[in-house]
Amino acid sequence: NPYDLQEVLNYFFNDFITNHNSIISDTFYGINQSIFKCQVCELNCMRSNIQMPLLKYTYENFFFLEFPLDEVSKFVAQNNYGMNMGVNYQNINQVDIMDCFNYNRKQSEMEGYCDRCGLDNAKISSMTQIYSLPPVLMIIFNRGKGLQYDIKINFQPILDLSQIALNCDKIYELQCVIKHLGDNSPTGHFIAYLVIYLVIKNKNLL
């Protein structure tokens, strides 16, 4: 039952332990939680004061987090300057690692089927959040094609993600940065960073 949170969690973890349990998964794997909500149901519930709309849950594991810097730059421009200010997101010359995490949990909209409304093209809002984080966290900053290559990424040597992940009290310490050098022109090699954070202690032990 995708609408029963505990049932979905139990099914996911039982499947994960059965099929994916290893020292690699224990060390590097985190879990994302996605929640889907019908906007039509939500509007009808608000008008009629009935029970809240159905929430559908899914879980998925990840081996690393990858942040598309062009989309993060758009997210920063929209949140800092507003949608109608005529700001070119390509003028954003730096982003912070927390901007990337905040972008990662933004809401999005799509069309889909709603069990309660019976509509095939109901407007569905979805939100993906990090449910839990691994002991070793790998992050890739994806510059993509056509994006300014001189954009700067600020990341801290100590990273507290307790406010980002739903089930996390970890504090990470930066262990290494891997940089791939290449031509800065669009026809050359891309510059990529792989940032690895390692848990130094649980926050509740501080």
Side-chain angles (χ1 to χ4, degrees):
N1 180 6
Y3 303 103
D4 187 313
L5 175 59
Q6 192 58 51
E7 189 173 343
V8 175
L9 272 170
N10 292 341
Y11 180 87
F12 174 81
F13 281 109
N14 288 335
D15 177 74
F16 184 80
I17 292 173
T18 302
N19 298 303
H20 303 284
N21 192 28
S22 69
I23 189 172
I24 299 298
S25 61
D26 290 343
T27 305
F28 297 105
Y29 273 46
I31 300 171
N32 278 327
Q33 177 196 65
S34 296
I35 302 176
F36 302 88
K37 179 170 60 177
C38 174
Q39 295 182 0
V40 179
C41 282
E42 183 175 37
L43 183 61
N44 290 338
C45 290
M46 292 172 62
R47 289 174 174 172
S48 59
N49 197 28
I50 61 176
Q51 66 183 99
M52 290 299 293
L54 293 175
L55 298 179
K56 184 177 181 179
Y57 305 91
T58 62
Y59 290 85
E60 184 178 17
N61 51 53
F62 61 85
F63 184 66
F64 56 82
L65 294 175
E66 183 172 0
F67 299 130
L69 291 185
D70 54 346
E71 295 298 325
V72 174
S73 298
K74 292 178 185 178
F75 176 79
V76 172
Q78 292 171 2
N79 281 273
N80 290 351
Y81 304 104
M83 291 288 292
N84 302 314
M85 296 295 291
V87 175
N88 185 345
Y89 77 95
Q90 292 189 342
N91 292 331
I92 302 295
N93 59 10
Q94 70 176 18
V95 299
D96 189 84
I97 190 171
M98 297 309 294
D99 293 327
C100 297
F101 280 103
N102 288 327
Y103 159 80
N104 191 59
R105 62 176 180 174
K106 75 181 190 315
Q107 292 190 14
S108 59
E109 294 182 2
M110 59 184 177
E111 288 189 350
Y113 177 75
C114 174
D115 288 344
R116 178 169 289 167
C117 296
L119 299 176
D120 290 324
N121 58 346
K123 289 186 177 180
I124 307 295
S125 64
S126 65
M127 183 174 184
T128 300
Q129 291 181 285
I130 298 172
Y131 180 79
S132 65
L133 287 163
V136 178
L137 176 61
M138 295 189 292
I139 300 171
I140 296 175
F141 299 108
N142 185 350
R143 294 185 179 274
K145 296 181 178 179
L147 185 66
Q148 299 177 59
Y149 291 91
D150 59 350
I151 188 169
K152 297 179 175 62
I153 307 164
N154 298 324
F155 48 89
Q156 298 75 35
I158 302 297
L159 196 60
D160 181 357
L161 297 178
S162 58
Q163 300 301 313
I164 297 296
L166 296 174
N167 186 26
C168 175
D169 58 359
K170 297 179 175 66
I171 293 179
Y172 290 87
E173 182 181 34
L174 181 64
Q175 295 297 301
C176 68
V177 176
I178 301 171
K179 181 178 180 181
H180 174 220
L181 293 175
D183 191 343
N184 282 349
S185 70
T187 57
H189 295 291
F190 298 115
I191 297 177
Y193 290 90
L194 174 65
V195 179
I196 299 178
Y197 281 95
L198 180 67
V199 171
I200 53 175
K201 60 180 66 177
N202 289 336
K203 188 177 181 181
N204 59 7
L205 299 179
L206 292 180

